[in-house]
PDB file of all heavy atoms in Angstrom:
ATOM      1  N   GLU V 138       0.878  -1.192   0.028  1.00  0.00           N
ATOM      2  CA  GLU V 138      -0.030  -0.002   0.029  1.00  0.00           C
ATOM      3  C   GLU V 138       0.910   1.280   0.004  1.00  0.00           C
ATOM      4  O   GLU V 138       0.631   2.210  -0.781  1.00  0.00           O
ATOM      5  CB  GLU V 138      -0.935  -0.004   1.247  1.00  0.00           C
ATOM      6  CG  GLU V 138      -1.761   1.177   1.367  1.00  0.00           C
ATOM      7  CD  GLU V 138      -2.674   1.093   2.640  1.00  0.00           C
ATOM      8  OE1 GLU V 138      -3.052   0.006   3.037  1.00  0.00           O
ATOM      9  OE2 GLU V 138      -2.969   2.171   3.183  1.00  0.00           O
ATOM     10  N   VAL V 139       1.903   1.259   0.865  1.00  0.00           N
ATOM     11  CA  VAL V 139       2.823   2.415   0.914  1.00  0.00           C
ATOM     12  C   VAL V 139       3.498   2.557  -0.463  1.00  0.00           C
ATOM     13  O   VAL V 139       3.637   3.689  -0.962  1.00  0.00           O
ATOM     14  CB  VAL V 139       3.830   2.238   2.058  1.00  0.00           C
ATOM     15  CG1 VAL V 139       4.934   3.286   1.946  1.00  0.00           C
ATOM     16  CG2 VAL V 139       3.140   2.368   3.394  1.00  0.00           C
ATOM     17  N   SER V 140       3.983   1.514  -1.015  1.00  0.00           N
ATOM     18  CA  SER V 140       4.654   1.553  -2.259  1.00  0.00           C
ATOM     19  C   SER V 140       3.757   2.053  -3.409  1.00  0.00           C
ATOM     20  O   SER V 140       4.227   2.939  -4.241  1.00  0.00           O
ATOM     21  CB  SER V 140       5.206   0.162  -2.653  1.00  0.00           C
ATOM     22  OG  SER V 140       6.183  -0.306  -1.710  1.00  0.00           O
ATOM     23  N   ALA V 141       2.499   1.603  -3.460  1.00  0.00           N
ATOM     24  CA  ALA V 141       1.569   2.045  -4.499  1.00  0.00           C
ATOM     25  C   ALA V 141       1.319   3.559  -4.326  1.00  0.00           C
ATOM     26  O   ALA V 141       1.245   4.242  -5.345  1.00  0.00           O
ATOM     27  CB  ALA V 141       0.317   1.238  -4.384  1.00  0.00           C
ATOM     28  N   HIS V 142       1.101   3.972  -3.110  1.00  0.00           N
ATOM     29  CA  HIS V 142       0.818   5.346  -2.905  1.00  0.00           C
ATOM     30  C   HIS V 142       2.041   6.261  -3.203  1.00  0.00           C
ATOM     31  O   HIS V 142       1.911   7.296  -3.889  1.00  0.00           O
ATOM     32  CB  HIS V 142       0.430   5.565  -1.387  1.00  0.00           C
ATOM     33  CG  HIS V 142      -0.365   6.802  -1.061  1.00  0.00           C
ATOM     34  ND1 HIS V 142      -0.760   7.106   0.190  1.00  0.00           N
ATOM     35  CD2 HIS V 142      -0.730   7.812  -1.860  1.00  0.00           C
ATOM     36  CE1 HIS V 142      -1.477   8.218   0.105  1.00  0.00           C
ATOM     37  NE2 HIS V 142      -1.445   8.660  -1.112  1.00  0.00           N
ATOM     38  N   ALA V 143       3.246   5.827  -2.814  1.00  0.00           N
ATOM     39  CA  ALA V 143       4.422   6.545  -3.078  1.00  0.00           C
ATOM     40  C   ALA V 143       4.656   6.691  -4.615  1.00  0.00           C
ATOM     41  O   ALA V 143       5.034   7.767  -5.098  1.00  0.00           O
ATOM     42  CB  ALA V 143       5.659   5.913  -2.399  1.00  0.00           C
ATOM     43  N   ASN V 144       4.491   5.605  -5.336  1.00  0.00           N
ATOM     44  CA  ASN V 144       4.717   5.619  -6.754  1.00  0.00           C
ATOM     45  C   ASN V 144       3.651   6.577  -7.435  1.00  0.00           C
ATOM     46  O   ASN V 144       4.046   7.272  -8.405  1.00  0.00           O
ATOM     47  CB  ASN V 144       4.528   4.188  -7.334  1.00  0.00           C
ATOM     48  CG  ASN V 144       5.636   3.271  -6.927  1.00  0.00           C
ATOM     49  OD1 ASN V 144       6.715   3.738  -6.552  1.00  0.00           O
ATOM     50  ND2 ASN V 144       5.410   2.005  -7.024  1.00  0.00           N
ATOM     51  N   ALA V 145       2.404   6.562  -6.947  1.00  0.00           N
ATOM     52  CA  ALA V 145       1.429   7.459  -7.501  1.00  0.00           C
ATOM     53  C   ALA V 145       1.765   8.909  -7.229  1.00  0.00           C
ATOM     54  O   ALA V 145       1.561   9.815  -8.133  1.00  0.00           O
ATOM     55  CB  ALA V 145       0.048   7.172  -6.959  1.00  0.00           C
ATOM     56  N   ILE V 146       2.339   9.198  -6.067  1.00  0.00           N
ATOM     57  CA  ILE V 146       2.720  10.598  -5.731  1.00  0.00           C
ATOM     58  C   ILE V 146       3.875  11.023  -6.712  1.00  0.00           C
ATOM     59  O   ILE V 146       3.862  12.137  -7.203  1.00  0.00           O
ATOM     60  CB  ILE V 146       3.206  10.681  -4.273  1.00  0.00           C
ATOM     61  CG1 ILE V 146       2.079  10.355  -3.331  1.00  0.00           C
ATOM     62  CG2 ILE V 146       3.831  12.040  -3.976  1.00  0.00           C
ATOM     63  CD1 ILE V 146       2.534  10.122  -1.862  1.00  0.00           C
ATOM     64  N   VAL V 147       4.863  10.135  -6.878  1.00  0.00           N
ATOM     65  CA  VAL V 147       5.965  10.491  -7.772  1.00  0.00           C
ATOM     66  C   VAL V 147       5.503  10.747  -9.208  1.00  0.00           C
ATOM     67  O   VAL V 147       5.871  11.733  -9.852  1.00  0.00           O
ATOM     68  CB  VAL V 147       7.065   9.367  -7.722  1.00  0.00           C
ATOM     69  CG1 VAL V 147       8.091   9.600  -8.821  1.00  0.00           C
ATOM     70  CG2 VAL V 147       7.664   9.265  -6.309  1.00  0.00           C
ATOM     71  N   GLU V 148       4.669   9.869  -9.682  1.00  0.00           N
ATOM     72  CA  GLU V 148       4.064  10.058 -11.014  1.00  0.00           C
ATOM     73  C   GLU V 148       3.394  11.362 -11.246  1.00  0.00           C
ATOM     74  O   GLU V 148       3.616  12.067 -12.184  1.00  0.00           O
ATOM     75  CB  GLU V 148       3.226   8.848 -11.380  1.00  0.00           C
ATOM     76  CG  GLU V 148       2.651   8.937 -12.788  1.00  0.00           C
ATOM     77  CD  GLU V 148       1.710   7.717 -13.142  1.00  0.00           C
ATOM     78  OE1 GLU V 148       1.581   6.862 -12.300  1.00  0.00           O
ATOM     79  OE2 GLU V 148       1.181   7.710 -14.264  1.00  0.00           O
ATOM     80  N   LEU V 149       2.551  11.631 -10.244  1.00  0.00           N
ATOM     81  CA  LEU V 149       1.819  12.979 -10.313  1.00  0.00           C
ATOM     82  C   LEU V 149       2.775  14.143 -10.188  1.00  0.00           C
ATOM     83  O   LEU V 149       2.639  15.124 -10.922  1.00  0.00           O
ATOM     84  CB  LEU V 149       0.720  13.023  -9.221  1.00  0.00           C
ATOM     85  CG  LEU V 149      -0.036  14.294  -9.044  1.00  0.00           C
ATOM     86  CD1 LEU V 149      -0.689  14.758 -10.341  1.00  0.00           C
ATOM     87  CD2 LEU V 149      -0.947  14.261  -7.839  1.00  0.00           C
ATOM     88  N   ALA V 150       3.693  14.052  -9.264  1.00  0.00           N
ATOM     89  CA  ALA V 150       4.551  15.170  -8.976  1.00  0.00           C
ATOM     90  C   ALA V 150       5.539  15.436 -10.191  1.00  0.00           C
ATOM     91  O   ALA V 150       5.844  16.654 -10.420  1.00  0.00           O
ATOM     92  CB  ALA V 150       5.427  14.901  -7.757  1.00  0.00           C
ATOM     93  N   ARG V 151       5.828  14.498 -10.962  1.00  0.00           N
ATOM     94  CA  ARG V 151       6.689  14.732 -12.140  1.00  0.00           C
ATOM     95  C   ARG V 151       5.903  15.491 -13.242  1.00  0.00           C
ATOM     96  O   ARG V 151       6.440  16.116 -14.093  1.00  0.00           O
ATOM     97  CB  ARG V 151       7.284  13.409 -12.601  1.00  0.00           C
ATOM     98  CG  ARG V 151       8.412  12.906 -11.719  1.00  0.00           C
ATOM     99  CD  ARG V 151       8.880  11.550 -12.159  1.00  0.00           C
ATOM    100  NE  ARG V 151      10.127  11.218 -11.372  1.00  0.00           N
ATOM    101  CZ  ARG V 151      10.632   9.985 -11.339  1.00  0.00           C
ATOM    102  NH1 ARG V 151      10.026   8.925 -11.914  1.00  0.00           N
ATOM    103  NH2 ARG V 151      11.732   9.731 -10.616  1.00  0.00           N
ATOM    104  N   GLN V 152       4.549  15.348 -13.160  1.00  0.00           N
ATOM    105  CA  GLN V 152       3.714  16.130 -14.122  1.00  0.00           C
ATOM    106  C   GLN V 152       3.408  17.428 -13.578  1.00  0.00           C
ATOM    107  O   GLN V 152       3.486  18.501 -14.291  1.00  0.00           O
ATOM    108  CB  GLN V 152       2.439  15.285 -14.377  1.00  0.00           C
ATOM    109  CG  GLN V 152       2.678  13.928 -14.969  1.00  0.00           C
ATOM    110  CD  GLN V 152       1.360  13.141 -15.052  1.00  0.00           C
ATOM    111  OE1 GLN V 152       0.270  13.718 -15.086  1.00  0.00           O
ATOM    112  NE2 GLN V 152       1.458  11.793 -15.022  1.00  0.00           N
ATOM    113  N   TRP V 153       2.959  17.539 -12.297  1.00  0.00           N
ATOM    114  CA  TRP V 153       2.433  18.812 -11.743  1.00  0.00           C
ATOM    115  C   TRP V 153       3.497  19.623 -11.030  1.00  0.00           C
ATOM    116  O   TRP V 153       3.358  20.837 -10.923  1.00  0.00           O
ATOM    117  CB  TRP V 153       1.271  18.419 -10.761  1.00  0.00           C
ATOM    118  CG  TRP V 153       0.536  19.631 -10.254  1.00  0.00           C
ATOM    119  CD1 TRP V 153      -0.108  20.582 -11.009  1.00  0.00           C
ATOM    120  CD2 TRP V 153       0.345  19.990  -8.910  1.00  0.00           C
ATOM    121  NE1 TRP V 153      -0.675  21.511 -10.157  1.00  0.00           N
ATOM    122  CE2 TRP V 153      -0.401  21.164  -8.836  1.00  0.00           C
ATOM    123  CE3 TRP V 153       0.725  19.420  -7.700  1.00  0.00           C
ATOM    124  CZ2 TRP V 153      -0.848  21.736  -7.718  1.00  0.00           C
ATOM    125  CZ3 TRP V 153       0.329  19.960  -6.502  1.00  0.00           C
ATOM    126  CH2 TRP V 153      -0.401  21.106  -6.502  1.00  0.00           C
ATOM    127  N   ARG V 154       4.558  19.033 -10.576  1.00  0.00           N
ATOM    128  CA  ARG V 154       5.639  19.669  -9.964  1.00  0.00           C
ATOM    129  C   ARG V 154       5.272  20.493  -8.674  1.00  0.00           C
ATOM    130  O   ARG V 154       5.476  21.674  -8.589  1.00  0.00           O
ATOM    131  CB  ARG V 154       6.451  20.553 -10.931  1.00  0.00           C
ATOM    132  CG  ARG V 154       6.909  19.737 -12.163  1.00  0.00           C
ATOM    133  CD  ARG V 154       7.712  20.682 -13.094  1.00  0.00           C
ATOM    134  NE  ARG V 154       8.961  20.995 -12.557  1.00  0.00           N
ATOM    135  CZ  ARG V 154      10.030  20.198 -12.538  1.00  0.00           C
ATOM    136  NH1 ARG V 154      10.020  18.990 -12.989  1.00  0.00           N
ATOM    137  NH2 ARG V 154      11.170  20.600 -11.929  1.00  0.00           N
ATOM    138  N   PRO V 155       4.804  19.831  -7.639  1.00  0.00           N
ATOM    139  CA  PRO V 155       4.516  20.532  -6.346  1.00  0.00           C
ATOM    140  C   PRO V 155       5.803  21.010  -5.682  1.00  0.00           C
ATOM    141  O   PRO V 155       6.896  20.471  -5.831  1.00  0.00           O
ATOM    142  CB  PRO V 155       3.818  19.487  -5.517  1.00  0.00           C
ATOM    143  CG  PRO V 155       4.362  18.177  -6.034  1.00  0.00           C
ATOM    144  CD  PRO V 155       4.514  18.371  -7.519  1.00  0.00           C
ATOM    145  N   ASP V 156       5.695  22.120  -4.925  1.00  0.00           N
ATOM    146  CA  ASP V 156       6.839  22.612  -4.116  1.00  0.00           C
ATOM    147  C   ASP V 156       6.980  21.866  -2.795  1.00  0.00           C
ATOM    148  O   ASP V 156       8.136  21.728  -2.272  1.00  0.00           O
ATOM    149  CB  ASP V 156       6.628  24.105  -3.817  1.00  0.00           C
ATOM    150  CG  ASP V 156       6.603  24.914  -5.101  1.00  0.00           C
ATOM    151  OD1 ASP V 156       7.638  25.117  -5.737  1.00  0.00           O
ATOM    152  OD2 ASP V 156       5.521  25.427  -5.473  1.00  0.00           O
ATOM    153  N   VAL V 157       5.846  21.395  -2.224  1.00  0.00           N
ATOM    154  CA  VAL V 157       5.838  20.809  -0.897  1.00  0.00           C
ATOM    155  C   VAL V 157       4.871  19.597  -0.952  1.00  0.00           C
ATOM    156  O   VAL V 157       3.777  19.685  -1.558  1.00  0.00           O
ATOM    157  CB  VAL V 157       5.341  21.825   0.160  1.00  0.00           C
ATOM    158  CG1 VAL V 157       5.298  21.102   1.511  1.00  0.00           C
ATOM    159  CG2 VAL V 157       6.383  22.913   0.316  1.00  0.00           C
ATOM    160  N   LEU V 158       5.213  18.514  -0.261  1.00  0.00           N
ATOM    161  CA  LEU V 158       4.331  17.407   0.056  1.00  0.00           C
ATOM    162  C   LEU V 158       3.816  17.656   1.482  1.00  0.00           C
ATOM    163  O   LEU V 158       4.652  17.648   2.384  1.00  0.00           O
ATOM    164  CB  LEU V 158       4.988  16.069  -0.101  1.00  0.00           C
ATOM    165  CG  LEU V 158       5.505  15.655  -1.526  1.00  0.00           C
ATOM    166  CD1 LEU V 158       6.151  14.323  -1.449  1.00  0.00           C
ATOM    167  CD2 LEU V 158       4.417  15.780  -2.551  1.00  0.00           C
ATOM    168  N   HIS V 159       2.519  17.739   1.651  1.00  0.00           N
ATOM    169  CA  HIS V 159       1.971  17.918   3.032  1.00  0.00           C
ATOM    170  C   HIS V 159       1.132  16.638   3.268  1.00  0.00           C
ATOM    171  O   HIS V 159      -0.032  16.493   2.819  1.00  0.00           O
ATOM    172  CB  HIS V 159       1.044  19.136   3.040  1.00  0.00           C
ATOM    173  CG  HIS V 159       0.519  19.414   4.372  1.00  0.00           C
ATOM    174  ND1 HIS V 159       0.280  20.750   4.799  1.00  0.00           N
ATOM    175  CD2 HIS V 159       0.077  18.704   5.424  1.00  0.00           C
ATOM    176  CE1 HIS V 159      -0.220  20.724   6.001  1.00  0.00           C
ATOM    177  NE2 HIS V 159      -0.407  19.460   6.399  1.00  0.00           N
ATOM    178  N   ALA V 160       1.704  15.680   4.093  1.00  0.00           N
ATOM    179  CA  ALA V 160       1.084  14.400   4.333  1.00  0.00           C
ATOM    180  C   ALA V 160       0.341  14.507   5.610  1.00  0.00           C
ATOM    181  O   ALA V 160       0.643  15.226   6.585  1.00  0.00           O
ATOM    182  CB  ALA V 160       2.153  13.328   4.517  1.00  0.00           C
ATOM    183  N   HIS V 161      -0.818  13.767   5.659  1.00  0.00           N
ATOM    184  CA  HIS V 161      -1.703  13.767   6.866  1.00  0.00           C
ATOM    185  C   HIS V 161      -1.835  12.299   7.327  1.00  0.00           C
ATOM    186  O   HIS V 161      -1.898  11.426   6.552  1.00  0.00           O
ATOM    187  CB  HIS V 161      -3.089  14.264   6.514  1.00  0.00           C
ATOM    188  CG  HIS V 161      -3.044  15.687   5.853  1.00  0.00           C
ATOM    189  ND1 HIS V 161      -3.468  16.804   6.624  1.00  0.00           N
ATOM    190  CD2 HIS V 161      -2.685  16.099   4.686  1.00  0.00           C
ATOM    191  CE1 HIS V 161      -3.351  17.891   5.881  1.00  0.00           C
ATOM    192  NE2 HIS V 161      -2.872  17.558   4.670  1.00  0.00           N
ATOM    193  N   SER V 162      -1.736  12.146   8.642  1.00  0.00           N
ATOM    194  CA  SER V 162      -1.816  10.845   9.235  1.00  0.00           C
ATOM    195  C   SER V 162      -3.075  10.081   8.690  1.00  0.00           C
ATOM    196  O   SER V 162      -3.998  10.727   8.200  1.00  0.00           O
ATOM    197  CB  SER V 162      -1.883  10.895  10.796  1.00  0.00           C
ATOM    198  OG  SER V 162      -2.949  11.721  11.199  1.00  0.00           O
ATOM    199  N   PRO V 163      -2.923   8.674   8.638  1.00  0.00           N
ATOM    200  CA  PRO V 163      -2.045   7.854   9.436  1.00  0.00           C
ATOM    201  C   PRO V 163      -0.638   7.803   8.908  1.00  0.00           C
ATOM    202  O   PRO V 163      -0.306   8.334   7.790  1.00  0.00           O
ATOM    203  CB  PRO V 163      -2.714   6.506   9.335  1.00  0.00           C
ATOM    204  CG  PRO V 163      -3.399   6.479   8.033  1.00  0.00           C
ATOM    205  CD  PRO V 163      -3.899   7.962   7.876  1.00  0.00           C
ATOM    206  N   ALA V 164       0.160   7.045   9.635  1.00  0.00           N
ATOM    207  CA  ALA V 164       1.664   7.015   9.358  1.00  0.00           C
ATOM    208  C   ALA V 164       1.875   6.385   7.988  1.00  0.00           C
ATOM    209  O   ALA V 164       2.916   6.705   7.377  1.00  0.00           O
ATOM    210  CB  ALA V 164       2.352   6.239  10.443  1.00  0.00           C
ATOM    211  N   LEU V 165       1.007   5.545   7.485  1.00  0.00           N
ATOM    212  CA  LEU V 165       1.187   4.911   6.173  1.00  0.00           C
ATOM    213  C   LEU V 165       1.310   5.987   5.090  1.00  0.00           C
ATOM    214  O   LEU V 165       2.052   5.949   4.158  1.00  0.00           O
ATOM    215  CB  LEU V 165       0.102   3.896   5.874  1.00  0.00           C
ATOM    216  CG  LEU V 165       0.110   2.634   6.728  1.00  0.00           C
ATOM    217  CD1 LEU V 165      -0.983   1.753   6.310  1.00  0.00           C
ATOM    218  CD2 LEU V 165       1.417   1.881   6.625  1.00  0.00           C
ATOM    219  N   ALA V 166       0.401   7.029   5.157  1.00  0.00           N
ATOM    220  CA  ALA V 166       0.409   8.122   4.254  1.00  0.00           C
ATOM    221  C   ALA V 166       1.643   8.933   4.401  1.00  0.00           C
ATOM    222  O   ALA V 166       2.254   9.390   3.437  1.00  0.00           O
ATOM    223  CB  ALA V 166      -0.883   9.006   4.407  1.00  0.00           C
ATOM    224  N   GLY V 167       2.061   9.117   5.666  1.00  0.00           N
ATOM    225  CA  GLY V 167       3.303   9.852   5.893  1.00  0.00           C
ATOM    226  C   GLY V 167       4.450   9.188   5.326  1.00  0.00           C
ATOM    227  O   GLY V 167       5.376   9.819   4.762  1.00  0.00           O
ATOM    228  N   LEU V 168       4.573   7.806   5.499  1.00  0.00           N
ATOM    229  CA  LEU V 168       5.687   7.072   5.021  1.00  0.00           C
ATOM    230  C   LEU V 168       5.750   7.140   3.448  1.00  0.00           C
ATOM    231  O   LEU V 168       6.820   7.320   2.889  1.00  0.00           O
ATOM    232  CB  LEU V 168       5.677   5.628   5.454  1.00  0.00           C
ATOM    233  CG  LEU V 168       6.788   4.753   5.094  1.00  0.00           C
ATOM    234  CD1 LEU V 168       8.152   5.302   5.650  1.00  0.00           C
ATOM    235  CD2 LEU V 168       6.604   3.280   5.591  1.00  0.00           C
ATOM    236  N   ALA V 169       4.551   7.083   2.815  1.00  0.00           N
ATOM    237  CA  ALA V 169       4.489   7.151   1.348  1.00  0.00           C
ATOM    238  C   ALA V 169       5.034   8.537   0.905  1.00  0.00           C
ATOM    239  O   ALA V 169       5.775   8.661  -0.056  1.00  0.00           O
ATOM    240  CB  ALA V 169       3.046   6.974   0.902  1.00  0.00           C
ATOM    241  N   ALA V 170       4.635   9.539   1.648  1.00  0.00           N
ATOM    242  CA  ALA V 170       5.152  10.954   1.219  1.00  0.00           C
ATOM    243  C   ALA V 170       6.587  11.088   1.409  1.00  0.00           C
ATOM    244  O   ALA V 170       7.309  11.731   0.569  1.00  0.00           O
ATOM    245  CB  ALA V 170       4.378  11.955   2.091  1.00  0.00           C
ATOM    246  N   ILE V 171       7.141  10.514   2.499  1.00  0.00           N
ATOM    247  CA  ILE V 171       8.600  10.626   2.685  1.00  0.00           C
ATOM    248  C   ILE V 171       9.359   9.843   1.648  1.00  0.00           C
ATOM    249  O   ILE V 171      10.352  10.385   1.173  1.00  0.00           O
ATOM    250  CB  ILE V 171       8.908  10.108   4.160  1.00  0.00           C
ATOM    251  CG1 ILE V 171       8.405  11.095   5.137  1.00  0.00           C
ATOM    252  CG2 ILE V 171      10.417   9.810   4.271  1.00  0.00           C
ATOM    253  CD1 ILE V 171       8.473  10.699   6.557  1.00  0.00           C
ATOM    254  N   ARG V 172       8.881   8.701   1.267  1.00  0.00           N
ATOM    255  CA  ARG V 172       9.571   7.949   0.224  1.00  0.00           C
ATOM    256  C   ARG V 172       9.529   8.786  -1.091  1.00  0.00           C
ATOM    257  O   ARG V 172      10.558   8.845  -1.801  1.00  0.00           O
ATOM    258  CB  ARG V 172       8.931   6.564   0.027  1.00  0.00           C
ATOM    259  CG  ARG V 172       9.239   5.612   1.150  1.00  0.00           C
ATOM    260  CD  ARG V 172       8.561   4.220   0.882  1.00  0.00           C
ATOM    261  NE  ARG V 172       9.050   3.632  -0.323  1.00  0.00           N
ATOM    262  CZ  ARG V 172       8.667   2.422  -0.777  1.00  0.00           C
ATOM    263  NH1 ARG V 172       7.867   1.684  -0.019  1.00  0.00           N
ATOM    264  NH2 ARG V 172       9.189   1.878  -1.829  1.00  0.00           N
ATOM    265  N   ALA V 173       8.405   9.373  -1.393  1.00  0.00           N
ATOM    266  CA  ALA V 173       8.273  10.093  -2.589  1.00  0.00           C
ATOM    267  C   ALA V 173       9.108  11.376  -2.539  1.00  0.00           C
ATOM    268  O   ALA V 173       9.779  11.796  -3.461  1.00  0.00           O
ATOM    269  CB  ALA V 173       6.784  10.435  -2.854  1.00  0.00           C
ATOM    270  N   GLY V 174       9.016  12.086  -1.406  1.00  0.00           N
ATOM    271  CA  GLY V 174       9.782  13.283  -1.189  1.00  0.00           C
ATOM    272  C   GLY V 174      11.329  13.126  -1.315  1.00  0.00           C
ATOM    273  O   GLY V 174      12.006  13.953  -1.904  1.00  0.00           O
ATOM    274  N   ARG V 175      11.831  11.999  -0.786  1.00  0.00           N
ATOM    275  CA  ARG V 175      13.234  11.802  -0.945  1.00  0.00           C
ATOM    276  C   ARG V 175      13.580  11.530  -2.374  1.00  0.00           C
ATOM    277  O   ARG V 175      14.625  12.054  -2.905  1.00  0.00           O
ATOM    278  CB  ARG V 175      13.684  10.547  -0.121  1.00  0.00           C
ATOM    279  CG  ARG V 175      13.472  10.752   1.416  1.00  0.00           C
ATOM    280  CD  ARG V 175      14.389  11.821   1.937  1.00  0.00           C
ATOM    281  NE  ARG V 175      14.230  11.903   3.389  1.00  0.00           N
ATOM    282  CZ  ARG V 175      13.406  12.830   3.996  1.00  0.00           C
ATOM    283  NH1 ARG V 175      12.667  13.647   3.206  1.00  0.00           N
ATOM    284  NH2 ARG V 175      13.374  12.894   5.279  1.00  0.00           N
ATOM    285  N   LYS V 176      12.773  10.866  -3.122  1.00  0.00           N
ATOM    286  CA  LYS V 176      13.059  10.626  -4.541  1.00  0.00           C
ATOM    287  C   LYS V 176      12.945  11.834  -5.315  1.00  0.00           C
ATOM    288  O   LYS V 176      13.732  12.046  -6.263  1.00  0.00           O
ATOM    289  CB  LYS V 176      12.071   9.549  -5.033  1.00  0.00           C
ATOM    290  CG  LYS V 176      12.395   8.970  -6.403  1.00  0.00           C
ATOM    291  CD  LYS V 176      11.619   7.695  -6.673  1.00  0.00           C
ATOM    292  CE  LYS V 176      12.070   6.969  -7.864  1.00  0.00           C
ATOM    293  NZ  LYS V 176      11.364   5.665  -8.084  1.00  0.00           N
TER     294      LYS V 176
END
């Protein structure tokens, strides 16, 4: 679930180019955002 969410974030971000990722609990969403943000 985390991997699928992170991959979707990365795919969208490469198109839309956000300045900040603002993740909201639970921690699974936070972990997905951190994986995507690092990438």
Side-chain angles (χ1 to χ4, degrees):
E138 179 180 329
V139 170
S140 296
H142 202 179
N144 291 339
I146 296 167
V147 171
E148 182 179 354
L149 172 61
R151 285 174 171 166
Q152 300 171 24
W153 187 56
R154 303 183 68 81
D156 298 290
V157 175
L158 299 181
H159 185 147
H161 303 255
S162 58
L165 293 179
L168 184 58
I171 287 170
R172 289 182 59 177
R175 297 294 183 267
K176 195 167 189 175

